[in-house]
Amino acid sequence: MKHILATIAAALALAAFGLSPAAAQITGTPGSPSATVTIPGNQLPAPPQKFGGVIKDTAPQSKPYWPARVMPRKGAPNVLLVMTDDSGYGVPSTFGGVIPTPALDRIAQNGLRYTNFNSTSLCSPTRAALITGRNHHSVGFGVIAEQATGYPGYDSFITKDKATIGRILKDNGYRTSWFGKDHNTPAFQASQDGPFDQWPIGMGFDYFYGFVGGDANQWEPNLFRNTTQIYPFLGKPGWNLTTAMADDAIDYMQRINALDPDQPFFVYYVPGGTHAPHHPTPEWIDKISQMHLFDKGWNALREEIFANQKKLGVIPADAKLTPWPDDLLKKWDTLSDDEKKLFIRQAEVFAAYVAYTDHEIGRVIQAVADMGKLDNTLIIYINGDNGTSSEGTLVGTPNEVAMFNGVVVPVEDQLKYFYDAWGSDKTYPHMAVPWAWAFDTPFPWTKQIASHIGGVRQGMAISWPRRITDKGGVRHQFHHVIDIVPTILDVTGVKQPETVDGIKQSPIEGVSLAYTFDAKNAQAPSTHKTQYFEMMGDRAIYHDGWLANTKVMRPPWDMASPAKDPMTFPWELYDLSKDWTQFQDVAAKHPDKVKQMQALFMQEAKKYQVLPLDTSVVTRLIAPRPSITAGRNVFTWTRPLIGTPNGDAPSLLNTSYTFKAEVEVPEGGGDGMLITQGGRFGGYGFYVLKGKPVFLWNLVDLKRVRWEGPQLTAGKHVLEFDFAYDGLGMGTLAFNNFSGVGRAGTGVLKVDGQAVDTQKMEHTLPFILQWDESLDVGSDTLTPVADADYQTPFTFTGTIDKITLTVDRPKLTAEDEKKLAAAQRAKSSSD
């Protein structure tokens, strides 16, 4: 009788969820404190459980009944999802590269190696697709967050009908966490004003430890725990985020395991490596430099990687190495000795960052093993979110912020001023383009280029010892980042919800690749038949082994060229079933196939919010967005405030503006920051230095323009900086014309209404300040705009009564617009 009653009680408990006993598992006695239940998952969060006890007038007459704790099905695996950054197919040793990546090797040897796995060609888009199982335009990330525009496919919002894998697993009983790069929060919602629904903790992750944005200084990052900025590096020379986040992830997993060893976890681990800035520790630079991996140059490196790939079987034996682009890039043997010296240093620091990042990932994997959980943990390790980055200019750069403002630092200056410091906190470095091309061997092109395989092919390894027994196997089926979410759902036994928070969910657009786990399916046809690719007008369509794509009309290192008409791009055609590396264009032989594939692309583009096509690049960085500053021209601060990120701060680029600081200076003249935005690698600061007012523009760490006033007396003062911009402003960009940006202007520093210093600044920054820094009032966080003047936090020793910023943006006259339109028509006709 007792057994029968327990069975009836369990059935009633399941009925509270709308379940039949066959639909879920329940453990423990229903209503007891130890009872758990597996929910069907069609509705998230699950509806409240019905009370199954008895309530009378008094407690002794009543019977308590606890709601069951939601847990995944018995035996569901833990999940560790790892993805590195800006790393192409030929980078890691696991896929033929010369850089040692033993952690990725370990996963491949203990599981499977995937040779035909593809990204979107850019950071935010790949990451949005990875955590939602939908195409990047479907979830608002047609481009990176900082380039968002007002179209559904490009606005950087993951809408509520597309719940992330974090949210789905969390509501099904997993503990979910996110470590590292968050490039999926809209850049204009990254401040402490919120809202936080598009931050990791608002997208279903219980815990977040990482940075918000495209990249971060690994020595002094804009680091958050959940939504609170933290500064664990202060007073700790040699501290590096790459190690710190591994420490934090290990601590998190051990904490979960100590509290409840049976609790499954989902860890999303996405370090900044190896996106610029390349910031490995000196020990790793020394270790890699001693290996002399790059002494023979980039052309020899390609040949070496290509041979290694054939030996490993990660490319077919008959694959062809795509040609070196002689019309775009120099060959190694044409370089001077100085060029070779600099470029070898750049590659060694990049390689050190690769090896260092992989080492720290290896520590996280080993922590899973040390807890005895490796056997039942699904580990997915994706090498890179796109091809290797070629955003470092043809000669590399000690400061990536300079590149995004169209500034190329000559080789001789890099050698003289930055060579020994390369990779340290005094640089924000990126290697030269030809290395990126070599690290994408055997494919053509690099990051940003969605039409060619070098931009989208990522090496991936998956292990799950309890399930995958074909250890060391290689899989060649075509798959895409949108296939990871359905794979995780498949292996955890969790279904995609029909509704989340009452909102009907759109279908997941990827397919599970779990079928490839079985050795019998090693040669099975791919279940992913069709996939479009598009990035900034550059596009392709894959279908059943064929790839049709546009020719590349803008090399990725040309960030500031005018937009082109995307419909004029010529198309190519490749039969990838016979041509693995995209070597032989067969469009001329199959014109009907080209037309068929073009039509298929447009069909997919309309389906997945790809339209309108837009070939503009860096100009989107300064496009107006609905931030907290939108529509405002006057800003006032009456108290210290730090940490307002770039996307939520008023922009001083390409405009006139006036700062007015009403302050009280203490005896002795005072010291400290009034207001600043940016840091060591680009920005401005208005401060008092040893009693003297200073306004300084840091022009990407290559030049500093400084206005300075006389010694201030103690007491109240009004300090002003007025800047009159000479250009037409960003309005010219609407006419595909750059003449209005980055122009000169005249600055006047005033004390109590009297001009004390007037200077003309011949050039201003056209596009962006240092993006991983913030606007700070009353002190300066992270790095200073002028190391020679002060070190952070440089808190103001006086009193700030009020700081007012007034912005006066240029407006085009009717005559200006007429001239610009005429120039645009003339340019279009000549093209």
Side-chain angles (χ1 to χ4, degrees), residues 354-371:
V354 172
Y356 174 36
T357 300
D358 179 82
H359 172 78
E360 296 300 328
I361 292 169
R363 290 180 54 228
V364 175
I365 294 169
Q366 185 57 44
V368 176
D370 292 344
M371 291 186 291

Side-chain angles (χ1 to χ4, degrees), residues 399 401 405 677-684 697-701 704 765 768-771 773 783-785:
N399 181 3
V401 184
N405 282 289
Q677 186 180 352
R680 180 176 294 136
F681 305 104
Y684 66 84
W697 262 107
N698 174 350
L699 301 180
V700 293
D701 200 29
R704 286 170 172 81
L765 298 182
I768 196 165
L769 305 185
Q770 186 179 345
W771 45 79
E773 297 264 0
T783 63
V785 292

Side-chain angles (χ1 to χ4, degrees), residues 26-42:
I26 191 166
T27 61
T29 302
S32 72
S34 62
T36 66
V37 66
T38 301
I39 64 172
N42 59 304

Side-chain angles (χ1 to χ4, degrees), residues 94 101-111 362 365-367 369 374 461 463:
T94 320
T101 51
L104 184 54
D105 290 346
R106 177 182 185 177
I107 300 306
Q109 292 159 5
N110 203 36
I365 294 169
Q366 185 57 44
L374 193 62
S463 73

Side-chain angles (χ1 to χ4, degrees), residues 414-674:
Q414 294 190 50
L415 280 170
K416 183 176 181 180
Y417 300 111
F418 301 103
Y419 180 87
D420 292 331
W422 206 272
S424 75
D425 64 339
K426 297 301 187 287
T427 62
Y428 211 91
H430 196 304
M431 63 191 172
V433 170
W435 289 124
W437 199 289
F439 283 126
D440 290 341
T441 298
F443 307 111
W445 289 98
T446 63
K447 174 185 177 181
Q448 289 192 34
I449 302 302
S451 59
H452 287 69
I453 298 177
V456 300
R457 185 62 51 84
Q458 315 303 142
M460 177 176 70
I462 298 178
S463 73
W464 182 17
R466 181 173 291 184
R467 174 72 173 76
I468 299 174
T469 58
D470 184 21
K471 294 184 178 181
V474 179
R475 299 291 185 266
H476 300 297
Q477 290 92 344
F478 178 95
H479 278 284
H480 189 269
V481 287
I482 62 174
D483 297 335
I484 296 302
V485 164
T487 301
I488 293 172
L489 295 180
D490 194 352
V491 303
T492 59
V494 172
K495 66 178 293 185
Q496 187 202 356
E498 297 170 8
T499 63
V500 175
D501 295 328
I503 298 172
K504 184 179 178 180
Q505 295 295 289
S506 72
I508 284 177
E509 294 159 8
V511 297
S512 172
L513 53 75
Y515 71 96
T516 65
F517 293 177
D518 294 321
K520 66 181 180 182
N521 291 329
Q523 304 301 322
S526 173
T527 56
H528 195 128
K529 302 296 184 184
T530 304
Q531 180 62 49
Y532 81 88
F533 298 87
E534 192 277 341
M535 193 59 59
M536 293 174 280
D538 191 68
R539 56 202 188 277
I541 183 76
Y542 170 88
H543 181 69
D544 271 344
W546 289 92
L547 182 74
N549 57 274
T550 55
K551 289 182 180 292
V552 177
M553 302 296 284
R554 176 196 60 82
W557 51 93
D558 178 8
M559 304 291 285
S561 63
K564 296 180 173 66
D565 180 357
M567 305 313 290
T568 64
F569 285 24
W571 283 68
E572 302 170 341
L573 180 70
Y574 297 88
D575 182 356
L576 298 185
S577 67
K578 301 173 183 176
D579 176 13
W580 183 261
T581 63
Q582 202 177 11
F583 183 90
Q584 183 65 50
D585 178 13
V586 295
K589 296 180 182 179
H590 303 281
D592 290 341
K593 186 68 175 178
V594 174
K595 291 179 181 178
Q596 175 193 342
M597 297 287 278
Q598 287 175 312
L600 180 58
F601 174 84
M602 290 306 296
Q603 176 182 314
E604 297 292 285
K606 292 172 182 176
K607 181 179 180 181
Y608 295 119
Q609 301 188 155
V610 179
L611 305 179
L613 298 176
D614 184 352
T615 64
S616 64
V617 185
V618 73
T619 55
R620 295 197 219 185
L621 292 173
I622 53 176
R625 298 184 182 90
S627 75
I628 55 177
T629 66
R632 297 169 60 192
N633 295 315
V634 179
F635 304 86
T636 303
W637 297 268
T638 56
R639 63 184 301 276
L641 179 69
I642 60 174
T644 302
N646 223 27
D648 291 287
S651 174
L652 303 189
L653 302 182
N654 311 306
T655 187
S656 299
Y657 55 89
T658 300
F659 281 105
K660 182 178 181 181
E662 301 172 40
V663 302
E664 185 168 353
V665 175
E667 292 290 340
D671 236 5
M673 183 60 65
L674 302 176

